[in-house]
Amino acid sequence: MSRLELIDENIRTIPEYVPGRSIEDTAKKYDLDPASIIKLGSNENPLGPSPKAVEAILENAGKVHLYPSADAGELVESLSRYLSLPVSNICAAGPGMDGLLDNLMRLIIQEGDEVILPIPTFSYYEIAARANGASVICVERKEDFSVDIDAIRKAVSSRTKVIFLCSPNNPSGNMVAESDVRMLLESFRGLVFVDEAYVEFAEHSVTNLVMEYDNLVVGRTFSKIFGLAGLRLGYGVMPAWLKKEYMKTATPFNVSLPALKAGVAAITDKQHIEKSIAMVREGRKYLQEQIPFKVYDSTANFVLVDVSPRSASEVCESLLKKGIIVRDCRSFRGAGNSLIRVTVGTQEQNTRVVEAFRSA
C-alpha cells in the first residue's frame, strides 16, 4: 500500500484551494521592489486594522502564555451588542469563517450527504463539505450571476443537508434577495448557510432571520471591514439549538487571545468602520466607471471584470509585471477564463489599477 492510500479517496480528489498571490512571491518572480507592489487580489482592507485593535493586541501581547476563554465569551458578548442579537445565537470562530465552516460540516455532514453550491462562488465551501464526506451538487447562476432559486430547489434531494449562499457573492459581488433566502428556508428541511463576509459594504443583512427560522446559519468575518485578516477571526449567527450542538465539537480555545481582544476593540471603532465603508463605496464606483472592460455591479469591496475576448491569465500577467496583484478567477468553478476580481483600494491604488488595465 502506498502512503497516499492512507488518505481518504474523497479527500485526494478535492481541488486545492487557490489563494491570492502574495507580495513577496510577486516581487521575486518579476524582480520588483516589494514596496512598489499593490495587493488587490485578496479583498483585504487597504486602510489596515483599527488603531484600537492594534492597541488591544499590544496591551495583551504579554499574556499570550495564558489560554483565552474556551468559548470567546467576551467577544460573543460584544458581537451581541453589535448585532442586537442574543449571545445564545452567536459563536466566535477561528481560524476565520473557515473554522466555522469546518466545524459545521463536521457536525452536520455524514458520508453520502449532499450540499448545493450556486457557482461560481467561494471555493472553500466545497473543500469543507467534501472533506467530511459530502457530494457537491453545483447549480449554475444566471447570466448576471444572480442565484437561480428554481434550479436550486429542483436540485434538492432527500440527501441534501446544506445549501450555500454567498451574499454578497465572491467573486461576483451581488446580493441574494431576502425573499429568496426566505423561500429556501421555508421549503428546505436542511440548513441554509449564508456567507456575509462582505455584508458591511452592502445594503442589508439576513442575520435577523435567525430569530424566525431554525435552519439558517449566517457566517461573518473580521477579515474584511475590520482589517484583521492576519488574525483569522470569524463568527457565526445561528439558532440556539444549533449553537448548543456546535459547541460540543468546536475546538477548545479556537480564538486566540490577541484575536479575541482585537475583535472586541475593532467592533467599537465606528470611525474606522465608517471610513472603510466610504472608501469602498467611492472607489467601487470609480473602478466601475473607469476600467475599460465590462465591470459588473457590486455591493462588496471588490469588482468583477470581464476582459473577454482576452483571457484573464493574459491580463493578470500584464498587471503583475506592473506590480499590481489582482485575482484571476479561473480557479472558481464555473467562472470561465475571462474574469478578474479587483479589490477596491485607496484612490491612489485605484488610479494605478485603471491605468494598468488601459495599457494591458
Side-chain angles (χ1 to χ4, degrees), residues 120 140 234 307 324 341:
E140 290 190 3
V307 297
I324 298 173
R341 193 190 68 200

Side-chain angles (χ1 to χ4, degrees), residues 35-337:
S36 71
I37 296 173
I38 58 174
K39 186 179 180 225
L40 299 176
S42 299
N43 302 335
E44 296 147 330
N45 188 334
L47 297 181
S50 156
K52 291 184 178 181
V54 175
E55 183 180 351
I57 294 170
L58 295 174
E59 286 180 354
N60 290 276
K63 301 176 184 177
V64 295
H65 62 297
L66 301 172
Y67 284 110
S69 58
D71 61 355
E74 181 182 351
L75 178 59
V76 170
E77 289 177 3
S78 294
L79 286 168
S80 175
R81 292 188 290 271
Y82 176 66
L83 299 171
S84 298
L85 290 171
V87 295
S88 58
N89 295 96
I90 302 169
C91 293
M97 195 196 303
D98 301 339
L100 175 74
L101 285 165
D102 281 335
N103 196 52
L104 272 176
M105 293 303 97
R106 181 169 58 167
L107 180 66
I108 298 295
I109 297 299
Q110 299 178 39
E111 192 74 31
D113 288 341
E114 294 177 349
V115 302
I116 293 177
L117 302 181
I119 59 170
T121 195
F122 183 48
S123 60
Y124 196 74
Y125 309 140
E126 177 176 354
I127 294 173
R130 288 183 58 183
N132 286 278
S135 297
V136 173
I137 308 301
C138 294
V139 176
E140 290 190 3
R141 291 169 178 267
K142 298 178 182 179
E143 189 174 348
D144 63 354
F145 295 111
S146 61
V147 173
D148 190 334
I149 294 297
D150 290 337
I152 289 176
R153 293 178 70 181
K154 288 177 183 177
V156 171
S157 75
S158 60
R159 295 191 296 170
T160 307
K161 283 286 189 73
V162 184
I163 296 172
F164 288 100
L165 300 173
C166 190
S167 184
N169 184 51
N170 177 11
S172 55
N174 56 314
M175 301 284 289
V176 181
E178 182 176 311
S179 58
D180 287 338
V181 177
R182 285 182 179 273
M183 186 182 300
L184 290 177
L185 289 167
E186 291 169 2
S187 63
F188 176 53
R189 65 176 181 83
L191 289 183
V192 176
F193 183 94
V194 180
D195 179 342
E196 290 192 341
Y198 304 97
V199 77
E200 280 92 354
F201 304 108
E203 290 86 14
H204 69 274
S205 165
V206 296
T207 52
N208 60 300
L209 298 188
V210 169
M211 307 308 294
E212 295 183 48
Y213 298 94
D214 66 355
N215 59 335
L216 171 64
V217 178
V218 180
R220 293 280 198 95
T221 182
F222 281 79
S223 297
K224 310 305 176 183
I225 185 73
F226 296 112
L228 299 178
L231 286 182
R232 313 304 302 122
L233 179 60
Y235 61 100
V237 183
M238 63 187 70
W241 75 264
L242 183 58
K243 176 178 177 177
K244 181 179 178 181
E245 302 303 317
Y246 177 95
M247 295 305 296
K248 292 178 182 179
T249 58
T251 306
F253 314 109
N254 70 91
V255 176
S256 72
L257 180 65
L260 189 159
K261 296 295 186 181
V264 170
I267 290 172
T268 67
D269 195 343
K270 294 182 179 179
Q271 182 178 0
H272 187 265
I273 294 171
E274 292 170 358
K275 185 177 180 181
S276 298
I277 292 172
M279 178 202 69
V280 164
R281 291 183 175 172
E282 181 179 344
R284 190 169 63 197
K285 184 174 185 292
Y286 173 80
L287 292 176
Q288 288 171 334
E289 293 175 349
Q290 298 299 322
I291 290 177
F293 293 97
K294 179 177 180 178
V295 183
Y296 289 89
D297 287 338
S298 173
T299 55
N301 68 336
F302 56 83
V303 296
L304 185 67
V305 183
D306 188 343
V307 297
S308 60
R310 300 180 66 182
S311 69
S313 59
E314 175 192 358
V315 176
C316 284
E317 182 74 9
S318 173
L319 268 61
L320 284 168
K321 290 177 180 178
K322 297 179 175 70
I324 298 173
I325 302 172
V326 292
R327 184 63 183 267
D328 182 339
C329 291
R330 288 177 299 159
S331 63
F332 288 81
R333 185 191 289 269
N337 298 314

Side-chain angles (χ1 to χ4, degrees), residues 1-16:
M1 181 177 72
S2 71
R3 292 291 185 264
L4 192 57
E5 289 178 298
L6 293 170
I7 307 300
D8 184 276
E9 182 180 359
N10 192 44
I11 291 178
R12 295 205 305 269
T13 58
I14 293 175
E16 291 185 23

